[in-house]
Amino acid sequence: MSYVDENLIEGEVVLYRTTLHWIVLVAPMTIAAVIGFGGLMALFASLATLGDKNGTAGGLATVSLVLILIAAAIAGLATWHRSSTEMAVTNKRVMIKVGMISRRTTEITLQKIESVGVDQGLLARLMNYGSIVVRGTGGTPEPFSKISHPLEFRRQVQQQIDKLLAVAANA
């Protein structure tokens, strides 16, 4: 069960969820591919030198194994980082959780949100990701980078704040 679902309060409903954009995987996966390719080349070189009497096949096989394990670790950690980030808008608050072992959470009630800023460059606009900055009353800005659909996230927050204001005005 997700962090957001585990920490809902009575009467709270999740209205919108997003996570980190897949763009966060590009750099680590590229690095992992380059290192993994080097590992495969070392593996093929070790197989080519199996019959040699100078004994380099074992050393090359060890190097290839180490490089392939490093590449797998980089790819695995990047994927884990992306999947361990949750962002949600509920009918009562904004919830953001980053990390699985070491965790950082931000939960701001809708009444306490001053603004949600969105920062997108040209590439980010084209690929629909960006950074958001949630500002609470009297608090420090909370920036979160490379989230998917940042404009929709902001729209959902603003919609819920408008609903709260309408209910308060009618009361």
Side-chain angles (χ1 to χ4, degrees):
M1 182 177 262
S2 75
Y3 172 84
V4 170
D5 294 329
E6 287 177 356
N7 290 286
L8 293 175
I9 56 179
E10 188 175 325
E12 190 171 26
V13 179
V14 175
L15 302 169
Y16 182 74
R17 290 178 195 262
T18 191
T19 186
L20 294 176
H21 193 269
W22 60 263
I23 199 83
V24 300
L25 297 175
V26 171
M29 292 301 181
T30 302
I31 292 167
V34 169
I35 293 171
F37 182 74
L40 287 175
M41 291 299 101
L43 179 63
F44 292 141
S46 74
L47 292 175
T49 60
L50 272 178
D52 291 354
K53 297 195 188 284
N54 60 5
T56 60
L60 284 172
T62 303
V63 168
S64 71
L65 177 64
V66 168
L67 289 175
I68 290 170
L69 287 175
I70 289 171
I74 291 170
L77 287 172
T79 304
W80 189 20
H81 171 66
R82 181 174 185 248
S83 66
S84 69
T85 300
E86 297 178 64
M87 299 172 196
V89 178
T90 72
N91 58 333
K92 297 185 179 197
R93 59 190 166 155
V94 171
M95 301 172 73
I96 301 172
K97 189 259 317 177
V98 178
M100 202 169 286
I101 295 172
S102 152
R103 185 184 303 178
R104 182 177 82 128
T105 64
T106 299
E107 298 176 16
I108 305 173
T109 60
L110 293 172
Q111 298 92 337
K112 299 292 184 184
I113 293 177
E114 282 185 356
S115 67
V116 178
V118 175
D119 184 26
Q120 287 182 298
L122 178 61
L123 180 63
R125 285 186 64 196
L126 292 172
M127 299 183 76
N128 203 10
Y129 73 91
S131 298
I132 60 167
V133 178
V134 179
R135 295 182 198 281
T137 55
T140 58
E142 294 288 340
F144 297 94
S145 299
K146 295 183 180 153
I147 73 161
S148 292
H149 313 288
L151 295 174
E152 180 63 18
F153 185 88
R154 180 181 66 189
R155 189 180 72 74
Q156 290 288 333
V157 171
Q158 289 171 338
Q159 243 178 359
Q160 292 311 305
I161 291 172
D162 285 348
K163 284 180 184 178
L164 284 175
L165 292 174
V167 168
N170 291 333

